[in-house]
């Protein structure tokens, strides 16, 4: 998640990985907010990137919940 992940890349991930990415993104957002509050934040743009990343993940999860898109099926060969 260095520069943000594209929605098409996120749609290819299974539900467990999406939840893991969401958890990591929320933790990073918390850390960035702490840095911002203490005046240690170097890159203010990173806050916006992470917020959008979280929104993308929530959107894809909601699409799957509504049946607008399907989670990828795992194929074992």
């Amino acid at each position: 998640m260095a520069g943000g992940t594209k929605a098409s890349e996120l749609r290819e991930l299974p539900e467990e990985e999406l939840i893991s990415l969401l958890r990591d993104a929320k933790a990073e957002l918390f850390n960035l907010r702490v840095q911002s509050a203490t005046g240690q934040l170097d890159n203010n743009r990173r806050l916006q990137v992470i917020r959008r990343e979280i929104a993308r993940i929530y959107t894809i999860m909601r699409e799957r919940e509504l049946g607008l898109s399907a989670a990828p099926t795992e194929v074992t060969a």
Side-chain angles (χ1 to χ4, degrees), residues 4 11 14 19 21-22 25 35-36 39 53 58-59 64 70 72-74:
R11 283 189 176 92
I19 292 170
L21 282 175
L22 180 63
Q35 288 178 9
S36 178
E53 182 89 14
Y58 274 132
T59 299
R64 289 180 183 175
T73 58
E74 292 188 26

Side-chain angles (χ1 to χ4, degrees), residues 5-49:
T5 309
K6 293 185 177 183
S8 60
E9 295 172 1
L10 290 173
R11 283 189 176 92
E12 297 172 0
L13 298 176
E15 194 73 23
E16 297 81 24
E17 285 188 46
L18 277 178
I19 292 170
S20 169
L21 282 175
L22 180 63
R23 192 174 298 123
D24 294 343
K26 283 187 168 188
E28 184 176 352
L29 181 61
F30 174 78
N31 290 331
L32 289 172
R33 284 182 174 160
V34 169
Q35 288 178 9
S36 178
T38 59
Q40 298 174 350
L41 186 62
D42 295 329
N43 187 358
N44 291 331
R45 175 91 169 116
R46 189 71 184 143
L47 280 167
Q48 184 179 10
V49 170

